[in-house]
Amino acid sequence: MKPGEVVEDRFALERVAGSGGMGTVYRAIDRTTGTPVAFKVLRSASQDAASRFAREVRILSSLRHPGIVRYIADGRTADGEMWLAMEWLDGESLNQRLARTGVSASESVELVRRVAEALGAAHERGVIHRDLKPSNLFLMDNDLERVKVLDFGVARIADASATRTGVMIGTPGYMAPEQARGERNVGARSDVFALGCLLFECLTGKPPFVGDNVMAILAKVLLEEAPRVGVVRQDLPEALDDLVARTLSKAPEARPRDGAQLAAELAALGTITAAERPQNVNVAALTATERRLLCVVLVDVGTEAPVDLDATRSSVPSLEVDATMPSTPSHDTIAEQHRPELKPLREAAEAHGARLQRLVDGSLVVTLAGTGGTADQAMQAARCALALKGQLAGTPMALATGRGVMAGRWPVGEAIDRAAALLAAARKASPHLVRVDEVTAGLLDTRFDVGGDEAGLYLLGERDVVQATRTLLGKPTPCVGRD
């Protein structure tokens, strides 16, 4: 298919607007109306791509809302290629607007309210988008009040059997925890979580969950509490801060039930002004001086090669209707090959007081948390890592420890980031070793052998008998203190 061709005596193709490994989007003219359309053609021969394309056609044709890109027609070419015609949009994506100028607090609330309202209409018909992010929201004529929701290529109909356990659907930084775990029961509240991520990003300038790779982001979505907007923006109303926090709750039942309810709650906030917010510090369970320790073990089981996360946040065609572009974390990534059985691994973790969870990308995250006995906890984590390594020989694995004085929060992010960085080194050098960070190595006593190479430190094993001399990298090392 080339520019200049006419499809079904109706759509005259003018030029290519965007293309990728699985499909092409053309700017075309609808001869029946004389108006431009976005004409999307599926090129991939895979059954999965065809099913996704057909699902997008079916869902878009059933939705009618000014905030959702409008379906016009669909069909097959003489050569059997599937196509979809949608309204043509001139303007920019929200992703481009945020990078260019950002949006004000009042604009952020109104924008997300409009998107939530559009999604409410979809939710009412049982449609779950599952991949909301700034690049899938388009501002017609650069107008925030004319926002359109795009790309229903990975959407699903509630209660349908389209979702498979172990298939990554969505974009890591905007996934709800239930999506990060690969659960089947993903509903409207998962879209609400993504809307909370969008609102947080609009208000603060950055997403609530960031990391250097997919595994780190998914682990943070699952384990780390999102920052409070009010901590970053103290000029915002407390009611808005509380609403954003509820949309980002780990428990789905704590979030607004669907887009319509979130839209109503945002509307009830009224006009957002830049009044100074009262400084009421609410610490849930701990005093501000209690020391908390968290050990994290990341296991790289069945994951794909590292992905350029910047490509998942930006660099999409201006048309923003691209469910057929090359595979990224925002599309189906099946990581089920070579997956170990979870039961014996969970039992090994629980025997050491740790909790093991599988992320949707196939990797494993193990956490061991406590508030005292830092050296004992680090040793328990080391034993846990070695026990898992005994069942997963040759699998890249990393152990890191986060510690500090926290105000009711676990030091999750720093430990995950360090463990993820260590895993990157483990993939390249000696994947049969358990990589450890300097904090963990410093907390381990003479029961453990810690070695090192150009990639960093690694855990060799636990000695049967405690030696009188502490060693690090094979050399005698005096113990000068735990801190």
Side-chain angles (χ1 to χ4, degrees), residues 63 65-68 113-123 147 149 259 263:
L63 297 177
H65 190 278
I68 297 175
R113 186 196 67 77
R114 290 175 182 273
V115 175
E117 190 177 72
L119 285 172
H123 293 160
V147 61
V149 181

Side-chain angles (χ1 to χ4, degrees), residues 332-344:
D332 298 7
T333 300
I334 303 176
E336 295 179 346
Q337 294 182 346
H338 312 300
R339 282 189 168 187
E341 289 294 326
L342 280 186
K343 184 177 179 181

Side-chain angles (χ1 to χ4, degrees), residues 319-333:
L319 196 59
E320 295 294 347
V321 290
D322 189 17
T324 62
M325 297 304 164
S327 180
T328 72
S330 64
H331 301 306
D332 298 7
T333 300

Side-chain angles (χ1 to χ4, degrees), residues 61-134:
S61 64
S62 70
L63 297 177
R64 290 289 186 272
H65 190 278
I68 297 175
V69 62
R70 180 168 51 86
Y71 163 91
I72 295 176
D74 71 275
R76 287 181 180 269
T77 67
D79 295 330
E81 294 175 322
M82 301 173 69
W83 59 265
L84 167 64
M86 296 166 286
E87 65 176 316
W88 177 263
L89 305 177
D90 283 314
E92 65 180 350
S93 69
L94 177 60
N95 190 69
Q96 293 167 322
R97 170 63 66 87
L98 292 175
R100 185 167 59 83
T101 63
V103 292
S104 68
S106 59
E107 289 172 335
S108 299
V109 171
E110 179 60 16
L111 172 78
V112 175
R113 186 196 67 77
R114 290 175 182 273
V115 175
E117 190 177 72
L119 285 172
H123 293 160
E124 187 177 7
R125 300 185 68 87
V127 174
I128 314 302
H129 189 283
R130 298 198 296 179
D131 194 20
L132 290 167
K133 55 185 176 181

Side-chain angles (χ1 to χ4, degrees), residues 223-224 291-297 366-371 374 377 381 399-404 409-416 418 437 439-440:
L223 301 172
E224 186 177 40
R291 182 173 295 277
R292 311 195 84 176
L293 188 79
L294 178 77
C295 297
V296 175
V297 179
V366 183
T367 52
L368 192 150
T371 56
T374 56
Q377 185 175 324
L399 165 61
T401 300
R403 62 184 305 199
R409 293 170 57 85
W410 292 107
V412 174
E414 58 162 322
I416 290 173
R418 273 190 270 112
D437 67 335
V439 175
T440 306

Side-chain angles (χ1 to χ4, degrees), residues 22-63:
M22 290 189 291
T24 303
V25 178
Y26 298 87
R27 188 185 191 274
I29 296 296
D30 184 351
R31 288 180 162 184
T32 63
T33 62
T35 58
V37 299
F39 193 87
K40 185 176 180 179
V41 182
L42 178 66
R43 301 288 191 191
S44 174
S46 76
Q47 184 59 45
D48 185 65
S51 298
R52 185 191 306 156
F53 196 93
R55 182 168 64 245
E56 181 179 18
V57 169
R58 184 171 66 254
I59 288 174
L60 269 187
S61 64
S62 70
L63 297 177

Side-chain angles (χ1 to χ4, degrees), residues 189-260:
R189 284 183 165 93
S190 298
D191 280 351
V192 169
F193 186 93
L195 286 170
C197 292
L198 284 166
L199 184 52
F200 184 99
E201 184 172 358
C202 288
L203 291 170
T204 68
K206 60 182 289 187
F209 304 101
V210 295
D212 291 333
N213 56 51
V214 172
M215 186 191 304
I217 296 176
L218 290 175
K220 288 181 181 180
V221 168
L222 200 60
L223 301 172
E224 186 177 40
E225 292 298 328
R228 295 285 298 212
V229 168
V231 174
V232 183
R233 290 281 307 270
Q234 298 184 356
D235 59 333
L236 297 177
E238 189 169 1
L240 175 58
D241 184 15
D242 290 339
L243 179 55
V244 175
R246 283 198 294 114
T247 64
L248 294 174
S249 172
K250 302 298 183 191
E253 61 274 12
R255 307 171 206 149
R257 69 176 180 275
D258 56 18

